[in-house]
Amino acid sequence: CRLPSPSKNDDEKGYELDLFCVPKHYEEDLDRVIIPHGLIMDRTERLARDIVRDMGGHHIVALCVLKGGYKFFADLLDYIKALNQNCDKSVPLTVDFIRLKSYCNDQSTNRVKVIGGDELSTLTGKNVLIVEDIVETGRTMETLLSLLSECNPKMVKVVSLLVKRTPRSSGYRPDYMGFEVPDWFLVGYALDYNEYFRDLSHICILNEKAKVKYKV
Ligand code: IMP
Ligand code: MG
């Protein structure tokens, strides 16, 4: 699941923007499409199959890390539901949400803030599947995992749609991942830059002009 390699010694540049449909209001802001929506869906279908194979038989609490994880969470759960409807084995699913924030502009801050969601104590004794959009330094996930461990869940697995190839990584790797991606700031498919670009279907590289335009 490693995308062909980008620059800054990583030459994966994806596809020209003109090959796909993007909202008019974002045309000037994006450099390239790195993962088209259809490819995200196809990979997500397979992740659903792998997760049910490994965690099936137990009740799963799918924990969505908001806001960036909401699209991947919804689509992944749809595929798990489809498997449940069409296979001999099925796995009961319930959902939960947590809101974390660590980013300002395109910089990861050193603090990870929990700014919403249900009491984590409801996860005691449960099989939890954390659903995240992207792992960069790994700090967000390591913080969440340590918070969760205080509540003694029975099992915790992490699925992240994307993992960034970056020297800033702590070395943390999720149990399941969709794609490894180059060290660019990416937007779309619910990944945002200061709340913009969640309404874009493909995962794209944000250009430098747009980083200034939408800066807070
Ligand atoms: P980490 O704590 O450095 O691993 O960063 C993880 C969080 O930062 C993710 O949950 C995202 O919300 C955000 N993030 C990291 N890289 C990107 C990116 O390229 N685009 C948008 N959000 C990102
Ligand atoms: Mg996130």
Side-chain angles (χ1 to χ4, degrees), residues 68-113:
Y70 92 89
K71 276 295 295 168
F72 178 48
F73 182 80
D75 289 331
L76 181 71
L77 263 61
D78 280 349
Y79 281 120
I80 295 178
K81 272 158 50 192
L83 288 169
N84 273 341
Q85 280 161 202
N86 297 301
C87 293
D88 296 334
K89 243 171 68 173
S90 74
V91 48
L93 260 186
T94 53
V95 298
D96 213 334
F97 301 86
I98 188 166
R99 185 151 178 224
L100 303 176
K101 201 170 165 66
S102 61
Y103 252 74
C104 185
N105 296 317
D106 64 344
Q107 295 302 310
S108 182
T109 61
N110 282 320
R111 286 170 305 121
V112 179
K113 274 199 296 186

Side-chain angles (χ1 to χ4, degrees), residues 180-191:
E180 216 177 72
V181 290
D183 196 4
W184 302 98
F185 195 79
L186 304 176
V187 292
Y189 194 69
L191 277 88

